[in-house]
Amino acid sequence: MTFKNRLLAGLVLSALTLAPGVALAWSPPQEPAAPQAGARPRVNINVQPEGPLPAEREADAAYNAAMRAAGTGGFAALQAHVPALTEAMRGAPARYPAMEEIPGGWLIRADDREEIMALAGAVGDIEAGRGGGDIKVVSRPNVYPNIAFLLGSAAVERRDFAAAHEVLDRGLALQPLDRFLLNEKLVVLHAERKWEEAYLLAKTALTSGDPQIEADPGSLQRRLGYTLIELGRLHEARVAYEESLVSDPGNATAIAELQVIRDLEAGHQLSGDGIQITSPYMPVQPAPRAD
């Protein structure tokens, strides 16, 4: 069952404000039907977004400064923030799960709206098994995996793949199914032509059933499709790209790659290297202004 279906199966999220002007809310029916025997217990989840913990504020500030720089100046501007990000990453704890139980409720570490919803759904599943009720969930920024992602992206841009592996593996040790880190790890493996390793990583993540992956599987499915093309497994590649279009309808990359598959099946040869090692989640550096 996907996380969206779980939300409809007895889980109620209170108003969830993620940023100014962005809110989600689910309300129970005015006159809910009487529960049937064996029905799933009702779970009411109150998600309360909060800022980083005091010990993480400096690291979170370093991340946000780097993101602002990348948003206006692209990778060139990001590189100037690598020393501060590296120093911040040294403060990462040994444990940093995306979801954990805390006194009085649960903690979710995520910035993306869909991920927060998915992880709240996972909390709902657990609490339904305990009998349901009113549950408090605190969401905080996912500080250290965010930093690992930026450092990995900067290393990929420098073509320093050893450094990219090192920092991405550090982030994945904290959260093995963070989809941003997984995507960047696949970028590196593709650049190194490690197709079998890339296939295993993508396939394992996509079949994990983890709510973080279910929240938005499209990019990982496209990475899997690209890997399968390079492995010559065209039928499986087509399935991966078609599945990615379910979550990302009209995605131009998936549509173009499906045409590539049709061309290969018709006996056409591809020209050039074709390997893309850009980061799908990083801002694109603005083009120089004509004036």
Side-chain angles (χ1 to χ4, degrees), residues 189-230:
L189 294 173
H190 285 178
E192 296 176 322
R193 298 180 177 274
K194 295 180 179 179
W195 307 116
E196 292 289 352
E197 190 174 343
Y199 170 77
L200 181 61
L201 181 66
K203 192 68 174 179
T204 299
L206 286 167
T207 57
S208 67
D210 186 271
Q212 286 182 283
I213 304 300
E214 289 187 359
D216 186 6
S219 186
L220 280 175
Q221 288 165 334
R222 289 190 293 274
R223 294 287 178 195
L224 176 62
Y226 188 94
T227 303
L228 288 164
I229 289 176
E230 292 296 331

Side-chain angles (χ1 to χ4, degrees), residues 99-187:
M99 182 183 82
E100 64 178 322
E101 197 164 9
I102 59 175
W106 289 81
L107 170 64
I108 287 174
R109 295 183 176 96
D111 304 271
D112 178 81
R113 180 180 68 179
E114 292 293 310
E115 283 193 354
I116 293 174
M117 290 169 57
L119 291 168
V123 169
D125 281 345
I126 294 170
E127 292 295 344
R130 297 173 175 178
D134 297 326
I135 309 300
K136 176 184 176 181
V137 173
V138 173
S139 67
R140 295 187 184 278
N142 199 26
V143 178
Y144 295 105
N146 287 345
I147 293 172
F149 165 72
L150 279 189
L151 286 171
S153 297
V156 167
E157 181 67 11
R158 299 192 306 270
R159 307 302 193 264
D160 187 347
F161 300 134
H165 278 304
E166 181 179 358
V167 70
L168 292 171
D169 288 347
R170 176 71 177 96
L172 288 168
L174 297 175
Q175 290 183 17
L177 290 169
D178 182 286
R179 74 177 190 273
F180 299 98
L181 295 173
L182 287 168
N183 265 286
E184 206 66 19
K185 179 79 172 178
L186 287 166
V187 169

